């Protein structure tokens, strides 16, 4: 049996995770799911956002599947007590420094994107986001009555290991790597550039380019097809991956894999969407695709990962979608979408 630590979290988290579990159960019968508390629900139940039991379970599992956390109810807590802090601590404790966020446009549903069809057609890019360093984690950080401070710090090792993953990803794809930074202003970016240039000597077949983040934000909507792999630091990656989701058409479709540490963490890139929680209208596809990534990267099960991804592509091709997908022919609720994908996985 493979042990999967399941963290449903808050808002739509439980609804979407249930559908991912449904799909996983039809493709594999050797998974043991252990549910753990994290986020707002953990604060309400046991008084802390990341209970030790959750951390222990995550660290002793083969993979962690995570839904979403956070909500207005907990927004006024001190920063380190908020649900978001639990997620950051989990990422950091697992050591998952590499966050892979694929954004692939479904050519059967180009109208989903707010951009023109001819701009988004064939877009297939991967954001490789550094996840456990930079301004999210560096010291000093503080806030007092008069001032507040955050720091963006990166060591050579932190840059080197994420860059290596990005080069490896590019090697398996179209062999284009674009490093996104702010080297015209930031010292950290200058170091990133130096190390990437050095590392590129080991990957002569990968074409390395550099782009400033403001330009990248523009290029992503001007001509997203120019990108294959985008490598970037934590905060820029957070922002650009949300932007990339709009190229695809809905944030409800984008999955992510966080790897490089002891145990992989798999989560949709969207949040807990408290406004629609409990209505069963949330799109479970991003979470189902995250489960596919879990099979691929943590369980080495490419066959079933592909089976799930193909089922999702088929559903979209056949005109099915959820509330977030405005132009689809057949609107499904959360459970119906999970059922349909699960059914296609066994056909
Ligand atoms: C994401 C989210 C998180 C992040 C938040 C919830 C802390 O926006 O996974 O992109 O900023 O990393
Ligand atoms: Mg984000």
């Amino acid at each position: 049996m493979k042990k999967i630590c399941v963290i449903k979290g808050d808002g739509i988290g439980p609804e979407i995770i249930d559908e991912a579990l449904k799909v996983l159960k039809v493709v594999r019968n050797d998974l043991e799911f252990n549910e753990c508390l994290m986020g707002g629900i953990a604060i309400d139940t046991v008084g802390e956002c990341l209970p030790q039991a959750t951390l222990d379970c995550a660290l002793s599992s083969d993979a962690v599947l995570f839904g979403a956390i956070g909500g207005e109810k907990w927004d006024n807590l001190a920063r380190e007590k908020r649900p978001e802090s639990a997620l950051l601590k989990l990422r950091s404790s697992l050591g998952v420094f590499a966050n892979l966020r694929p954004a692939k446009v479904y050519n059967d549903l180009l109208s989903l994107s707010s951009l023109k069809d001819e701009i988004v057609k064939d877009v297939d890019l991967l954001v490789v986001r550094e996840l456990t360093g930079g301004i999210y984690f560096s010291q000093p950080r503080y806030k007092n009555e008069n001032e507040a401070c955050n720091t963006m710090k990166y060591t050579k090792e932190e840059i080197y290991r994420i860059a290596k993953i990005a080069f490896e990803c590019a090697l398996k794809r179209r062999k284009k790597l674009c490093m996104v930074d702010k080297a015209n202003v930031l010292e950290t970016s200058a170091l990133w550039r130096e190390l990437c240039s050095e590392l590129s000597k080991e990957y002569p077949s990968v074409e390395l380019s550099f782009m400033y983040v403001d330009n990248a934000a523009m290029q992503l909507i001007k001509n997203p097809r120019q990108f294959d792999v985008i490598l970037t630091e934590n905060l820029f990656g957070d922002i650009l991956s949300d932007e990339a989701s709009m190229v695809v058409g809905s944030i409800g479709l984008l999955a992510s894999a966080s790897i490089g540490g002891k145990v992989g963490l798999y989560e949709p890139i969207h949040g807990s969407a408290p406004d629609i929680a409990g209505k069963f209208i949330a799109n479970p596809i991003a979470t189902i695709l995250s489960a596919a990534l879990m099979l691929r990267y943590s369980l080495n099960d490419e066959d079933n990962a592909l089976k799930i991804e193909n089922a999702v592509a088929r559903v979209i091709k056949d005109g099915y979608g959820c509330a977030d997908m405005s132009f689809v022919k057949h609107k499904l609720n959360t459970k119906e979408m999970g059922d349909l994908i699960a059914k296609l996985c066994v056909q």
Side-chain angles (χ1 to χ4, degrees):
M1 294 296 266
K2 293 284 181 191
K3 281 176 69 178
I4 312 297
C5 172
V6 177
I7 300 173
K8 294 184 175 178
D10 308 317
I12 59 171
E15 295 156 48
I16 52 176
I17 284 283
D18 281 344
E19 300 315 308
L21 296 182
K22 190 185 276 176
V23 172
L24 283 171
K25 282 175 190 161
V26 301
V27 298
R28 299 268 303 226
N29 54 17
D30 62 340
L31 304 180
E32 179 192 307
F33 300 107
N34 298 305
E35 233 185 271
C36 292
L37 295 175
M38 185 171 101
I41 186 169
I43 296 171
D44 291 352
T45 322
V46 294
E48 51 180 333
C49 59
L50 179 57
Q52 188 62 40
T54 300
L55 204 49
D56 291 344
C57 174
L59 282 163
S60 62
S61 295
D62 292 287
V64 182
L65 185 64
F66 165 63
I69 47 169
E72 225 174 274
K73 185 174 173 196
W74 307 283
D75 278 353
N76 294 325
L77 294 174
R79 191 186 44 79
E80 64 282 0
K81 296 215 157 77
R82 288 177 52 152
E84 288 80 358
S85 299
L87 178 57
L88 299 185
K89 191 170 168 207
L90 179 67
R91 288 171 178 171
S92 166
S93 307
L94 295 174
V96 287
F97 62 85
N99 183 218
L100 313 184
R101 299 190 159 183
K104 188 171 179 187
V105 163
Y106 293 94
N107 281 343
D108 298 300
L109 200 52
L110 295 174
S111 55
L112 200 57
S113 175
S114 34
L115 301 177
K116 293 192 185 79
D117 290 7
E118 63 268 27
I119 290 181
V120 298
K121 188 171 173 289
D122 295 326
V123 166
D124 179 2
L125 61 88
L126 172 71
V127 177
V128 177
R129 169 188 176 194
E130 200 291 325
L131 200 64
T132 53
I135 199 164
Y136 273 59
F137 291 94
S138 309
Q139 297 294 336
R141 64 184 295 165
Y142 60 82
K143 175 171 173 289
N144 61 36
E145 273 166 37
N146 298 317
E147 59 178 38
C149 164
N150 291 98
T151 303
M152 186 190 282
K153 192 185 284 177
Y154 273 109
T155 65
K156 272 175 99 168
E157 275 154 327
E158 283 176 307
I159 301 167
Y160 187 80
R161 63 187 186 180
I162 184 77
K164 207 165 165 59
I165 289 205
F167 273 105
E168 291 292 334
C169 288
L171 211 52
K172 292 190 200 123
R173 296 171 47 101
R174 299 194 306 281
K175 301 189 174 52
K176 278 174 66 178
L177 177 59
C178 179
M179 205 206 95
V180 171
D181 63 18
K182 192 69 187 171
N184 48 348
V185 177
L186 303 175
E187 280 75 8
T188 44
S189 297
L191 187 61
W192 275 74
R193 282 200 183 201
E194 280 167 33
L195 291 173
C196 282
S197 303
E198 212 177 289
L199 195 58
S200 77
K201 292 181 197 139
E202 290 173 33
Y203 296 90
S205 62
V206 175
E207 179 196 321
L208 173 67
S209 62
F210 300 104
M211 196 179 276
Y212 296 143
V213 64
D214 46 354
N215 185 26
M218 185 173 78
Q219 296 296 330
L220 253 180
I221 50 173
K222 187 176 177 213
N223 175 18
R225 245 186 331 265
Q226 71 185 285
F227 296 107
D228 178 17
V229 179
I230 293 176
L231 164 64
T232 192
E233 64 86 47
N234 205 342
L235 180 61
F236 298 160
D238 178 45
I239 298 166
L240 292 179
S241 56
D242 270 30
E243 192 188 0
S245 78
M246 283 300 106
V247 174
V248 177
S250 171
I251 198 161
L253 296 173
L254 262 66
S256 90
S258 302
I259 58 171
K262 298 182 198 93
V263 182
L265 169 66
Y266 301 85
E267 50 173 310
I269 83 158
H270 61 69
S272 59
D275 50 323
I276 58 163
K279 295 183 180 164
F280 290 93
I281 55 170
N283 191 343
I285 289 182
T287 315
I288 291 171
L289 290 174
S290 301
L293 294 179
M294 179 183 92
L295 294 178
R296 171 171 298 128
Y297 292 114
S298 283
L299 304 188
N300 208 3
D301 181 5
E302 180 66 21
D303 284 356
N304 283 315
L306 273 178
K307 203 180 270 180
I308 296 174
E309 286 164 352
N310 289 338
V312 169
R314 174 74 195 282
V315 160
I316 289 173
K317 189 178 172 56
D318 291 347
Y320 293 96
C322 290
D324 55 313
M325 299 161 70
S326 32
F327 294 98
V328 294
K329 268 190 251 137
H330 316 286
K331 284 264 162 71
L332 301 181
N333 66 31
T334 311
K335 290 179 183 197
E336 289 165 342
M337 181 55 90
D339 286 340
L340 185 59
I341 294 169
K343 193 175 113 197
L344 290 170
C345 281
V346 287
Q347 265 177 13

